[in-house]
Structures are given as C-alpha cells and as structure tokens.
Amino acid sequence: MPSTSPFGFQELPAADKAAAVRGVFAKVARRYDLMNDLMSAGWQHVWKHHLVQSVQLFNGIRLLDVAGGTGHITQLLQQRLAKLGMVGDLQVVDASIDMLRVGRDRFFDHGWPQPTAWVDSVAEALPYPDASVDAYVIAFGLRNVTDLAQSLAEARRVLKPGGRFYCLEFSRPTNPLLNRAYDAYSFAVIPRLGQLVAGDAASYRYLVESIRRFPPQQALAERMQSAGFAQVDWVNYSGGIVALHRGVAG
Ligand SMILES: C[S@@+](CC[C@H](N)C(=O)[O-])C[C@H]1O[C@@H](n2cnc3c(N)ncnc32)[C@H](O)[C@@H]1O
C-alpha cells in the first residue's frame, strides 16, 4: 500500500484515508441520492443508464456493485435483468455501513427486491474467492479508494477469466473551454449546494477535489492494463465529464 493517499487536494497517511472517506459518506448518506440529482442536474441518470446498458447480462450472472453505496446501480441492473426475463446474484459492496443502511431501507420502502447481499467491505480486500464473479461494476467509487492499484488487482482477482470490469467515473472534459466552465461550476456551486441541501460544504468540496485528483481517461486505462485487464477501452459522456472504462479479465 502507498504510504499516503490523496484525500481531495490533501495527502493523508494511507491508514487515515479510509476513515476520512467513510466520514464523508456517513455525513452525506441521507441526502446522497438527492444531492447527486441536484449536482449533476439529473445527468447522473443518463450516465448510469449508459453503464447499465453496457453491462453484458446473462441468466444467472454473478455481479458485484463495488462502492455501490445506496445500491442505485444494482437497482437499475435488477430492473434490466427483470425486463430481459433473467435472474442474477447481484451484491452491493461498500466501505460505508451508513450508505448500505440507507440503501437497504430505500429498497425496503420502495418494495424493490433486495440484492443478494449488502456487503460492508473495502474494494482493496474483497471477501470473495479468486475467479468467482462474472462482472464487477464500480460507479463513482474508484476515485474514493485508498489504494487504486490494489483495488484494480482485487477486481482482477475475483473476476473469472473473461469476466467483465466496468468503471463509471468522473474524468476530464476533452474540450478546454468545457473544462474551464466545469471547473468553475464545480468549485463555486457544488460546495454551496452541499451546504444548502445537506448542511455540509466540506464533504462536497472533497468530492470535487477528488474528481480533479483522479487519473484521466488514458492514465486510468493504463492502470487497468497494469492490473492485468485486456481489451481496455473507454467511452466519454458529456464531453468527457464522465467516462466509462471497460476491461476483460485475462
Ligand atoms: C460517490 S459514492 C457512489 C455510490 C454508487 N456507486 C452510485 O453510483 O450511486 C462512492 C461510494 O464509495 C464508497 N467507498 C469509498 N471508499 C471505498 C473503498 N475503499 N471500498 C469500497 N467502497 C468505498 C463510499 O462509501 C461511497 O458509498
């Protein structure tokens, strides 16, 4: 594990980062889904829709939704599976017990079928045997982990040969003008929105800073290749504000 890890624009001792990130998501958990809608002006649904449509589903699929938070991706995947007349074993894995609890209650309140399991675990050490899952999905989660290389290695380890990896994450707008406008919006508006809606500007400042510190498209693709993924590619959405990286476990 590296000795330090970025926490927004700060470098924290790696041992402290996980607790700091858990603190952020404990604070935002109750307002998380609402804030996502407001911050992205609803775009999160479009980006997540693209991800869910990209996942190669089949009957009996075993899939992990890592850093799955309140289970939004799992719920969309369950809907798509049901539409296709298929069933699967979908598990939400997250380091924040608060996010998992909000998710479990939300599924219960809406009468949605619960995932097979809500698993309290970090992406760096997954409680699954080698080569045991068909698909690994991580949405807006990879930039929060303490050890990116270890998290990618774990994804690779738990996937069966030929298993699919999908990472939806904020990335870099390819147009410099859009990049500047997006930067101004993120730093000026999002922490204020966080203060107004969730009474917490600092956590949302962290979210914005963590986006800037995350490897851009090409660099993330190279990190995936170093972890042993083949056929790595990515698709940009909203001009590269968000990218979907895909890879296949060799
Ligand atoms: C921005 S939320 C994304 C939630 C969900 N995937 C979505 O798209 O709505 C990021 C999640 O990553 C989780 N997380 C942070 N560090 C983690 C780690 N090392 N391992 C697993 N989950 C982690 C947080 O607890 C949080 O729920």
Side-chain angles (χ1 to χ4, degrees), residues 32 62-78 88-107 112-123 126-128 133 135-139:
Y32 174 76
R62 185 155 202 235
L63 180 147
L64 302 183
D65 176 11
V66 179
T70 57
H72 193 188
I73 299 296
T74 290
Q75 186 238 332
L76 297 173
L77 285 167
Q78 281 180 338
D89 170 350
L90 273 52
Q91 307 199 13
V92 182
V93 180
D94 199 277
S96 163
I97 192 74
D98 299 279
M99 291 288 277
L100 293 170
R101 284 195 182 124
V102 169
R104 188 198 51 197
D105 292 352
R106 206 161 143 251
F107 272 60
W112 297 328
Q114 291 284 337
T116 309
W118 296 94
V119 179
D120 180 11
S121 167
V122 291
L126 295 171
Y128 299 93
V133 304
Y136 176 116
V137 175
I138 185 162

Side-chain angles (χ1 to χ4, degrees), residues 133 155-165 228-231 247-250:
V133 304
R156 169 75 189 74
R157 180 185 69 75
V158 299
L159 279 167
K160 296 176 186 171
R164 308 267 161 170
F165 174 91
F229 287 101
Q231 298 174 45
V248 178

Side-chain angles (χ1 to χ4, degrees), residues 2 124 142 145-155 223 226-227:
E124 291 88 341
L142 206 53
V145 302
T146 304
D147 189 336
L148 177 59
Q150 175 59 22
S151 300
L152 291 171
E154 270 298 87
R223 302 288 294 262
S226 301

